[in-house]
Amino acid sequence: TVYVPEGAKSAYNVSPWNNYEIVEFLDALNISDNGSANYAQAEDAAKDEINYTRNYAHTGWQALYVPFDIPYDAISDKFDVAELNNFHQFDDDDDGIFDRTELEVLRLRAGSTIEHHTPYVIRAKTAGEQTVTLTDATAYRAEEKEFECMSLKRRYVFHGTYSGVSGTDMLAGGFYALSNGELCRAASASAALGGFRWYMSVTDRATGQPVSPAALPEKMRIVEKEGGEATGIAAAPAAAPLLK
């Protein structure tokens, strides 16, 4: 038996191949993301088909970090997707202390592309398990990249992960992750993060050290920017160390 790519069977209907049984196969990558899936592909690879299945337990914003490009128009009937844009801090009671922090996101427009190894937020229009299918796509090698946004005093870093982060590390690092549509700081060692997602760390710009949890809010709201272009989130320098 000789296995050939899908659609190539007729090309092998010549000697010596026609002396064998010719079976077509589909070169597909199937990812079932139940929170414990991981991805460790070492090289870029063209795929006939990529199927990314995920259970959207609610219709709020969720973190998204994938190793392939997705044309937004192909999924816009089922999902809203937004790129991370900027942070805003508010002193609601005028006491000189920030009371509220919001992460601003910018909705993707028609014709946009969800780019590989880039943090986004995704919102399903209907809760439940759904599959995104791509044809003739590239599965890029696993890279857990960092993106940053800065205020005068703080450096916010978004870390993409395909292997996930243990609850112990999330708690020890004071990391934030999306939960029920809000950025929430890990409150216990059970706050593990799955792969194909991103998490956020906050450091002091002057010292480079993590900001004390006591100086940070437990939750940060996600707000949508109206129109315009994304400006605030940038890829971290290649030499930047992974913050732990």
Side-chain angles (χ1 to χ4, degrees), residues 154 185 211-217:
R154 293 174 180 170
R185 192 175 71 242
V211 176
S212 167
L216 293 170

Side-chain angles (χ1 to χ4, degrees), residues 68-89:
F68 39 79
D69 295 339
I70 305 173
Y72 177 57
D73 292 349
I75 65 169
S76 60
D77 59 330
K78 295 182 178 180
F79 302 96
D80 296 322
V81 180
E83 56 187 320
L84 312 184
N85 186 58
N86 217 331
F87 273 101
H88 300 286
Q89 295 175 304

Side-chain angles (χ1 to χ4, degrees), residues 3-13 22-27 48:
Y3 294 89
V4 301
E6 186 178 43
K9 186 173 182 178
S10 60
Y12 285 83
N13 191 27
I22 306 298
V23 177
E24 294 184 345
F25 71 90
L26 179 67
D27 186 12
D48 295 334

Side-chain angles (χ1 to χ4, degrees), residues 50-187:
I50 296 176
N51 297 297
Y52 177 59
T53 301
R54 180 166 171 172
N55 186 11
Y56 298 87
H58 55 77
T59 56
W61 289 118
Q62 300 184 42
L64 180 70
Y65 185 82
V66 292
F68 39 79
D69 295 339
I70 305 173
Y72 177 57
D73 292 349
I75 65 169
S76 60
D77 59 330
K78 295 182 178 180
F79 302 96
D80 296 322
V81 180
E83 56 187 320
L84 312 184
N85 186 58
N86 217 331
F87 273 101
H88 300 286
Q89 295 175 304
F90 301 90
D91 178 11
D92 294 321
D93 54 11
D94 296 322
D95 64 352
I97 299 173
F98 288 124
D99 306 300
R100 178 165 47 99
T101 303
E102 295 180 344
L103 172 60
E104 182 182 83
V105 301
L106 178 64
R107 285 269 300 275
L108 295 189
R109 301 173 177 175
S112 299
T113 298
I114 300 165
E115 298 180 0
H116 64 282
H117 305 333
T118 303
Y120 292 88
V121 290
I122 186 168
R123 182 169 60 193
K125 296 181 180 180
T126 304
E129 186 175 273
Q130 300 190 55
T131 299
V132 172
T133 297
L134 307 171
T135 57
D136 296 325
T138 298
Y140 293 91
R141 67 186 181 92
E143 289 188 77
E144 300 195 336
K145 291 187 174 182
E146 300 176 1
F147 294 77
E148 65 181 15
C149 180
M150 294 189 183
S151 66
L152 287 176
K153 294 184 177 181
R154 293 174 180 170
R155 179 174 181 253
Y156 302 91
V157 181
F158 300 88
H159 310 263
T161 179
Y162 292 117
S163 57
V165 182
S166 71
T168 301
D169 288 344
M170 289 291 292
L171 179 63
F175 298 143
Y176 285 80
L178 272 173
S179 177
N180 294 320
E182 293 184 300
L183 265 176
C184 300
R185 192 175 71 242

